[in-house]
Amino acid sequence: SVTVRLFARARDLAGCEQLTMTLPAGATIGALREALLARHPTLEPLAPRLLAALNADYVADTQPLTPHAEVAFFPPVSGG
């Protein structure tokens, strides 16, 4: 299982801050993103821009998940 944490607008749209998801062995961040969108379609507007971090390191959708991983999804942040 994978712990998914959502931040900022992603958290607001999904209506939760954290959830646990189970994916098959060999699944990638991209597969997790797709499963997350299937479970919370309200995230669709943010989907193309959501950044992913696996165990606190930014990763691409091609990154394989590790057992008991913690993945964070959050929208890009702009500052001024």
Side-chain angles (χ1 to χ4, degrees):
S1 66
V2 176
T3 299
V4 177
R5 295 186 188 277
L6 301 171
F7 292 91
R9 184 75 178 134
R11 178 188 59 227
D12 296 342
L13 289 174
C16 64
E17 184 174 326
Q18 179 178 315
L19 57 141
T20 301
M21 299 185 73
T22 302
L23 282 90
T28 63
I29 292 290
L32 176 62
R33 182 188 302 267
E34 289 176 15
L36 179 64
L37 290 174
R39 192 166 170 181
H40 292 282
T42 54
L43 291 170
E44 190 65 42
L46 287 181
R49 297 183 315 272
L50 281 178
L51 301 174
L54 173 64
N55 299 328
D57 292 319
Y58 288 111
V59 293
D61 278 1
T62 55
Q63 175 71 39
L65 291 168
T66 55
H68 310 293
E70 183 172 293
V71 178
F73 284 107
F74 49 95
V77 178
S78 62

